Amino acid sequence: MRTQWDVIVVGASFAGAACALAAREYGLRVCVLERKRDPGIKLHTTGIIVREAAEGTWLSRLPPRLVHRVEGVRLHAPNLRCMRLSRPEYYFLATDTPGVMRWLAGELREAGVEPAYLDLDEEARIALLTKELAHNRPLGGTATALGEEANSELAILHASAHAHDTFGRGAITTYIISKTTSLSDLLEVYVLLKEAGLYRIDADGKAAAPIMVVPLFETIGDLEAAPAIMTAFFALPEMKALAKARGHQEVMIGYSDSNKDGGYLTSTWGLNQASLALAPVFEAAGVTMQLFHGRGGAVGRGGGSAFGAIQAQPRGTVNGRIRITEQGEVIAAKYGTVDNAVANLETIASATLLASLEPDPVPIADAARFSAAMDQLSTNAFAAYRELVYETEGFNVFFRQ
């Protein structure tokens, strides 16, 4: 997500910081670009502030311990001549310059002036996004100039809001984030939804959003990170309240891309383990989990019998709720006639009931042993697959011929 700033100040000097603080006080969104992590080091300035700046800018608020009032100065020339410069009622401020710079940096943080978003680490991004989701003030106004990409994305969300107004909230219910790798990926979308009026803080302070943001975990690494990301998601009061008010939270897991990333066996096992690991996260949060299985028609993309695939889901991960994709290559075969469509839907419904109600046929002791064996098989298969597909010189050219 690229934040649109009203003012960008380059350099957190006395003047730069004072301008940024004044702009922020007027309600503008301000970004300060400063390459030094500690603004009080490597300074090249006299540290003297003239009266006009001391009285007419933010610098008038400097703590007394950091400044010393000087009502006149004496200049000494190499020929030993000297000159005193003074004027009635005029003065300078001599400053503890490193201390002033660090004080100004603290004021910038307190005022909500942020560095460039893309330069922030994940922790700082979460802090900024969470702060933006705590109120209804939009990031930009009607006169804010945005780039082509930003305008395109926001146009989709404004169209979604129009669809809700025209056809009801059931028209569009989810926003899926492909290749989710972090918590900030989810929060960024909620900030965008706020821009279109699809995320609001109610009068009682509770968050409300008619569109659910759904993470899609696709690669092997992303599947492994999914439990930690969702744990952090539910740790945010606004996000947890949204999920509880909705009744469930959906998580999509990708079959095709995980297969391309890690091979068939590792993909299948990774999906199984991610599903199992997500279940206690949702249980601890008191939120119902709904897994969205992004299956294709071919076996390499998770295809095959839907009945068998649903029954094979780890126990405790279905619980009466499941969502699956039916892609183009199988739609005609499964839903081409009314009779076929009814039979297929009955099959999926019965498999969902059985997966929710039947006990696990594998004893706990055997399950632990089988799981350890599969972990080893998956590790070996992953290494062999990556070596062949990604590390063998010329394989990509050969495969595409």
Side-chain angles (χ1 to χ4, degrees):
M1 181 188 74
R2 293 185 178 181
T3 301
Q4 297 296 318
W5 309 104
D6 299 311
V7 178
I8 296 179
V9 178
V10 180
S13 62
F14 283 3
C19 289
L21 288 165
R24 185 64 183 138
E25 197 166 58
Y26 276 97
L28 300 177
R29 294 197 56 78
V30 183
C31 172
V32 174
L33 302 180
E34 172 57 60
R35 64 182 178 181
K36 296 196 298 286
R37 290 189 177 275
D38 181 352
I41 63 172
K42 297 182 180 179
L43 298 171
H44 303 282
T45 176
T46 63
I48 294 176
I49 302 173
V50 298
R51 189 189 73 174
E52 290 82 358
E55 294 180 354
T57 72
W58 192 278
L59 298 175
S60 63
R61 309 181 192 187
L62 287 170
R65 60 182 172 80
L66 297 176
V67 298
H68 176 69
R69 180 168 170 145
V70 179
E71 297 185 351
V73 296
R74 189 181 298 274
L75 301 179
H76 294 266
N79 62 1
L80 301 182
R81 292 182 62 185
C82 67
M83 179 182 295
R84 179 176 173 79
L85 298 178
S86 65
R87 195 173 74 187
E89 299 182 0
Y90 199 83
Y91 63 89
F92 302 89
L93 293 181
T95 67
D96 169 7
T97 309
V100 170
M101 294 305 304
R102 292 180 177 120
W103 179 84
L104 285 170
E107 291 295 297
L108 288 170
R109 286 191 293 270
E110 287 293 318
V113 176
E114 302 290 347
Y117 180 78
L118 294 179
D119 294 335
L120 299 177
D121 59 22
E122 175 66 6
E123 183 178 354
R125 290 187 181 192
I126 292 171
L128 173 59
L129 295 166
T130 302
K131 184 167 63 175
E132 288 298 328
L133 291 171
H135 57 75
N136 291 324
R137 186 185 68 242
L139 286 173
T142 55
T144 303
L146 301 176
E148 181 179 351
E149 183 179 11
N151 279 321
S152 175
E153 293 300 317
L154 286 174
I156 295 172
L157 296 179
H158 285 297
S160 301
H162 177 70
H164 278 208
D165 293 338
T166 306
F167 305 109
R169 292 188 170 189
I172 300 173
T173 59
T174 56
Y175 186 122
I176 299 172
I177 311 169
S178 180
K179 289 183 167 53
T180 300
T181 60
S182 63
L183 173 58
S184 62
D185 289 338
L186 281 75
L187 302 182
E188 288 167 0
V189 175
Y190 275 115
V191 170
L192 291 176
L193 289 173
K194 187 178 77 166
E195 295 297 294
L198 294 171
Y199 173 96
R200 301 286 297 172
I201 299 295
D202 294 337
D204 59 1
K206 293 182 179 179
I211 293 181
M212 173 171 54
V213 176
V214 176
L216 167 52
F217 300 106
E218 299 184 82
T219 67
I220 301 301
D222 295 343
L223 288 169
E224 292 172 348
I229 292 174
M230 294 310 298
T231 297
F233 179 80
F234 290 131
L236 300 176
E238 294 88 354
M239 299 299 104
K240 186 175 181 179
L242 277 178
K244 286 199 166 188
R246 192 179 292 117
H248 72 284
Q249 172 64 43
E250 187 170 284
V251 172
M252 188 172 183
I253 50 178
Y255 286 63
S256 180
D257 280 352
S258 61
N259 188 19
K260 287 183 286 187
D261 182 50
Y264 181 74
L265 191 148
T266 302
S267 168
T268 302
W269 186 238
L271 292 162
N272 178 284
Q273 292 300 98
S275 301
L276 269 177
L278 283 167
V281 171
F282 278 74
E283 184 178 359
V287 176
T288 300
M289 178 174 71
Q290 178 171 296
L291 289 178
F292 183 3
H293 298 264
R295 304 170 69 236
V299 172
R301 302 181 63 210
S305 166
F307 184 86
I310 295 172
Q311 278 207 293
Q313 296 306 307
R315 290 299 179 265
T317 64
V318 178
N319 297 325
R321 303 190 71 98
I322 196 168
R323 190 178 179 190
I324 60 175
T325 54
E326 295 282 30
Q327 300 195 16
E329 63 265 40
V330 298
I331 288 177
K334 291 186 175 182
Y335 303 96
T337 67
V338 173
D339 289 342
N340 281 353
V342 170
N344 188 64
L345 291 173
E346 286 180 346
T347 298
I348 292 174
S350 62
T352 302
L353 288 171
L354 290 172
S356 302
L357 300 175
E358 282 187 336
D360 195 333
V362 180
I364 295 177
D366 288 339
R369 182 163 54 88
F370 295 162
S371 180
M374 280 301 302
D375 283 339
Q376 187 60 54
L377 287 170
S378 176
T379 299
N380 294 343
F382 181 76
Y385 175 83
R386 297 290 298 191
E387 181 181 8
L388 172 64
V389 176
Y390 292 96
E391 299 171 17
T392 302
E393 185 177 356
F395 178 84
N396 189 48
V397 176
F398 168 77
F399 184 78
R400 294 181 180 277
Q401 288 177 341

